[in-house]
């Protein structure tokens, strides 16, 4: 049985990138029949049909068959896209593609396969929903993204050894010029890179930043790919919204698509509660931030949704019996 998320995160940066390209984000959302505040939401997500409608709307509104290439040019190392950030922090293209394959189910209705032999690394799109035809621009965009990722990480115009697409790419000569090789028809969308290119160190590698960023992604992946309980869904919601400070049971119930009473009843049936799950998420994140980052205690309190640091200090002492400084120095209970 295929496991994966049923909803996929939409970066807040999408609206900014579209605006930079002269494409009105509101026109795109209106054409896709999606909420007009989607790109402003802190935890925006779409299901498969909505995700494909968004890409189809971008095709229509832009009227540009080369939109995937324009999107790639607008996406730089300074663009904060969680997927791009996670990849560029990697040690190499091989590591970046492996990381992308792991977390891809969070950001799109597809899975990636990465295969490596002595001469090549090949990344292939798999697991697209069988009942919905993906927009051609989405397939083209993925093929372009893999290549763009290699170029951003190595600061060099890396050329794939081959690019294959199951659907015809518009203006193939333009794509061939950008990719450096002519796309050809294949049973699946895939890009192959020379093994030596895929193994070269990324100039953007940043293990320390990745160490701070990874736990949240792992928790989201765990919550999304499991046969998720209501408590698991709630933990995923906390991970996405906790820094906003807006973590009331009514807001959680609304975003999870249930009534407040139903949420409380289902949590009780799972032998937990809203406050218990909120406290557990805050404790886990607090331990991580204190031991793995240099954030100040005030910054950590803010990220955990506390209005003031003193509230965080009291909660931390209740969880661990220790102060922030003691935990940072290794004297607290941090297991």
């Amino acid at each position: 049985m295929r496991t994966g998320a049923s909803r996929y995160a939409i970066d807040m940066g999408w609206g900014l990138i579209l605006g930079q390209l002269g494409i009105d984000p509101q026109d795109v959302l209106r054409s896709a029949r999606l909420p007009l505040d989607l790109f402003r939401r802190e935890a925006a997500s779409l299901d498969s049909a909505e995700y494909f409608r968004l890409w189809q709307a971008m095709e229509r509104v832009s009227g540009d068959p080369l939109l995937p290439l324009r999107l790639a040019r607008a996406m730089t190392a300074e663009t904060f896209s969680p997927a791009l950030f996670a990849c560029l922090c990697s040690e190499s293209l091989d590591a970046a593609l492996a990381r992308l394959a792991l977390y891809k189910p969070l950001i799109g209705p597809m899975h990636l396969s990465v295969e490596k032999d002595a001469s090549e690394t090949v990344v292939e799109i798999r697991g697209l929903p069988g009942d919905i035809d993906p927009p051609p621009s989405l397939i083209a965009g993925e093929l372009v993204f893999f290549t763009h990722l290699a170029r951003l990480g190595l600061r060099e115009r890396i050329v794939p050894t081959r690019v294959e697409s199951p659907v015809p790419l518009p203006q193939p000569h333009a794509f061939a010029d950008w990719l450096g090789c002519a796309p050809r028809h294949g049973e699946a969308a895939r890009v192959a890179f020379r093994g030596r290119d895929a193994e070269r160190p990324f100039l953007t590698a940043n293990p320390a930043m990745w160490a701070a960023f990874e736990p949240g992604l792992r928790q989201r992946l765990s919550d999304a790919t499991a046969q998720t309980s209501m408590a698991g869904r709630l933990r995923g919601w906390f991970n996405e919204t906790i820094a906003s400070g807006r973590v009331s049971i009514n807001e959680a119930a609304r975003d999870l698509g249930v009534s407040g009473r139903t949420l409380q009843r289902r949590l009780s049936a799972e032998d937990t509660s809203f406050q218990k799950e909120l406290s557990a998420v805050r404790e886990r994140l607090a331990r991580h931030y204190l031991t793995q980052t240099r954030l100040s205690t005030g910054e950590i309190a803010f990220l955990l949704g506390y209005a003031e640091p003193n509230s965080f200090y009291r909660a931390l002492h209740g969880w661990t019996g220790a102060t922030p400084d003691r935990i940072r120095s290794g004297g607290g209970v941090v297991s």
Side-chain angles (χ1 to χ4, degrees):
M1 180 178 64
R2 176 187 170 189
T3 59
S6 59
R7 298 190 67 82
Y8 312 99
I10 296 296
D11 297 344
M12 295 174 70
W14 269 108
L16 178 61
I17 290 175
L18 289 173
Q20 290 174 344
L21 296 178
I23 302 169
D24 189 335
Q26 297 285 286
D27 288 346
V28 170
L29 293 171
R30 195 174 291 110
S31 177
R33 306 190 309 280
L34 294 171
L36 297 184
D37 68 340
L38 181 72
F39 296 139
R40 297 193 298 273
R41 296 183 183 181
E42 294 181 358
S45 65
L46 302 175
D47 62 24
S48 296
E50 292 168 335
Y51 187 91
F52 286 168
R53 288 209 312 269
L54 177 60
W55 274 90
Q56 290 164 344
M58 287 193 293
E59 287 181 351
R60 286 193 299 270
V61 173
S62 71
D64 185 356
L66 300 181
L67 177 63
L69 299 182
R70 294 177 62 198
L71 288 171
R73 294 187 185 106
M75 191 174 291
T76 68
E78 290 71 37
T79 303
F80 187 80
S81 158
L84 184 61
F85 178 81
C87 290
L88 291 177
C89 283
S90 304
E91 293 79 8
S92 66
L93 180 60
D94 276 340
L97 292 175
R99 191 169 285 171
L100 184 61
L102 177 62
Y103 293 108
K104 190 65 170 177
L106 291 175
I107 56 174
M110 63 193 74
H111 290 253
L112 301 182
S113 167
V114 182
E115 297 183 2
K116 182 176 178 62
D117 60 26
S119 62
E120 282 188 329
T121 291
V122 182
V123 56
E124 177 181 314
I125 297 176
R126 293 181 177 175
L128 286 161
D131 57 338
I132 310 173
D133 291 330
S137 63
L138 173 58
I139 297 297
E142 292 292 321
L143 298 174
V144 165
F145 176 79
F146 301 142
T147 306
H148 191 53
L149 170 63
R151 294 173 178 178
L152 284 177
L154 292 171
R155 294 292 196 269
E156 185 178 319
R157 190 175 184 272
I158 298 299
V159 174
T161 56
R162 53 194 167 95
V163 176
E164 300 175 9
S165 172
V167 298
L169 298 184
Q171 298 188 21
H173 292 300
F175 279 91
D177 287 344
W178 191 89
L179 292 165
C181 67
R184 64 192 190 195
H185 179 76
E187 294 182 355
R190 60 174 66 95
V191 181
F193 298 95
R194 293 179 183 85
R196 61 178 180 272
D197 286 337
E199 294 169 357
R200 290 168 54 190
F202 265 13
L203 300 181
T204 55
N206 193 328
M209 287 296 292
W210 174 244
F213 193 67
E214 181 183 25
L217 274 179
R218 283 197 174 275
Q219 184 63 51
R220 286 178 58 196
L221 185 66
S222 175
D223 291 339
T225 58
Q227 297 299 316
T228 311
S229 63
M230 182 56 75
R233 292 179 63 195
L234 182 61
R235 287 192 294 272
W237 183 81
F238 282 140
N239 278 309
E240 294 181 343
T241 62
I242 198 167
S244 71
R246 297 182 291 100
V247 287
S248 72
I249 193 168
N250 289 334
E251 294 212 15
R254 182 196 64 204
D255 288 351
L256 295 176
V258 296
S259 68
R261 181 174 296 180
T262 296
L263 176 57
Q264 290 177 309
R265 184 175 66 249
R266 292 183 60 179
L267 290 173
S268 179
E270 295 172 13
D271 196 27
T272 188
S273 69
F274 182 87
Q275 287 302 324
K276 185 176 180 179
E277 293 301 326
L278 174 58
S279 181
V281 168
R282 279 175 161 164
E283 179 183 358
R284 177 180 58 78
L285 290 174
R287 293 175 186 272
H288 169 74
Y289 289 138
L290 286 169
T291 59
Q292 302 297 321
T293 78
R294 296 183 179 180
L295 294 170
S296 70
T297 51
E299 289 171 323
I300 294 173
F302 173 79
L303 288 173
L304 298 182
Y306 288 104
E308 57 180 21
N310 284 340
S311 298
F312 169 54
Y313 297 153
R314 288 193 294 270
L316 183 69
H317 190 270
W319 300 325
T320 67
T323 64
D325 288 343
R326 188 178 175 197
I327 290 178
R328 281 211 146 121
S329 65
V333 181
V334 295
S335 60

